[in-house]
Amino acid sequence: DFDIARLNLAVALFYTGRLEQAGREAEAARERLPDRAHPHYVLGLIARDADRTGDALVHFQAVRRIDPKDVGAAINIGQVHLQEGRYAEARDAFAVANETEPFNVTATYGLATALIRSGARDEGTAAMARFQRLRDSDYAITYARNYLEQGRYAEAIPSTGAEPGLIDERVPDVTFRPESL
């Protein structure tokens, strides 16, 4: 019944390639944690891996409603739009990611690609040059398909031990007596 553990199980199952099981656990976590972005994000990644781009967009857009500046969701939305040939929508999504995290190589490359494919050749060429400079820098971030490389909502949530469900808030059944000297 510990909701964060269920979410973390979904993340672990996703990264071990057990998408169907991961989807069940992420869906259960989404129902129990409706205000958290993590379950939607994991469900979006699962949908992308299963080539269900419509479902992926629904989940990543839910993440954006919860956290409008999340770079991972913006990049995933941009990549889905780029894959589907919706270059203006891809450009807008990558622009949000690029504005929020200007040192993100994935966002910069996506933006450059979307600009070029949408016909904004000069702007796209400038963005591609920026991508190439950024790629060769020591401070660039790249999103990839590995754990800890897909955005913060694709990571397990560490336990502090103080989460609801872990603490027994009942007063202990103890009695204190003065000790005789």
Side-chain angles (χ1 to χ4, degrees):
D1 289 335
F2 184 41
D3 300 331
I4 292 175
R6 173 153 285 172
L7 176 61
N8 287 347
L9 176 58
V11 170
L13 290 166
F14 170 73
Y15 283 109
T16 58
R18 301 193 328 236
L19 299 184
E20 188 175 318
Q21 292 170 294
R24 281 194 304 270
E25 295 300 331
E27 189 58 43
R30 185 194 61 76
E31 290 172 11
R32 296 179 64 116
L33 300 167
D35 298 331
R36 298 292 291 261
H38 291 82
H40 282 290
Y41 198 90
V42 173
L43 287 164
L45 292 175
I46 291 167
R48 277 200 73 198
D49 271 16
D51 203 28
R52 295 188 334 265
T53 56
D55 292 341
L57 278 176
V58 167
H59 288 294
F60 291 126
Q61 288 165 344
V63 171
R64 294 284 308 278
R65 283 191 297 279
I66 296 166
D67 184 356
K69 295 288 187 178
D70 182 61
V71 174
I75 287 173
N76 276 286
I77 290 169
Q79 288 173 333
V80 168
H81 285 311
L82 202 58
Q83 176 184 340
E84 302 279 318
R86 294 186 296 270
Y87 304 124
E89 291 91 338
R91 179 198 62 225
D92 294 345
F94 286 124
V96 168
N98 203 263
E99 180 181 313
T100 304
E101 204 168 81
F103 44 87
N104 190 300
V105 173
T106 308
T108 304
Y109 179 78
L111 179 61
T113 303
L115 287 166
I116 290 168
R117 290 184 184 171
S118 70
R121 181 103 20 228
D122 292 341
E123 206 177 341
T125 301
M128 191 60 75
R130 184 173 173 279
F131 154 73
Q132 290 168 341
R133 285 190 309 276
L134 186 59
R135 179 190 59 197
D136 296 334
S137 72
D138 293 331
Y139 57 87
I141 290 178
T142 303
Y143 279 28
R145 297 181 64 87
N146 301 316
Y147 184 63
L148 301 179
E149 296 178 353
Q150 291 202 59
R152 65 184 173 156
Y153 293 126
E155 299 174 10
I157 300 172
S159 173
T160 65
E163 292 83 7
L166 287 183
I167 298 174
D168 184 352
E169 295 185 11
R170 294 175 294 178
V171 175
D173 187 22
V174 296
T175 306
F176 294 96
R177 304 181 273 178
E179 191 174 316
S180 302
L181 295 174

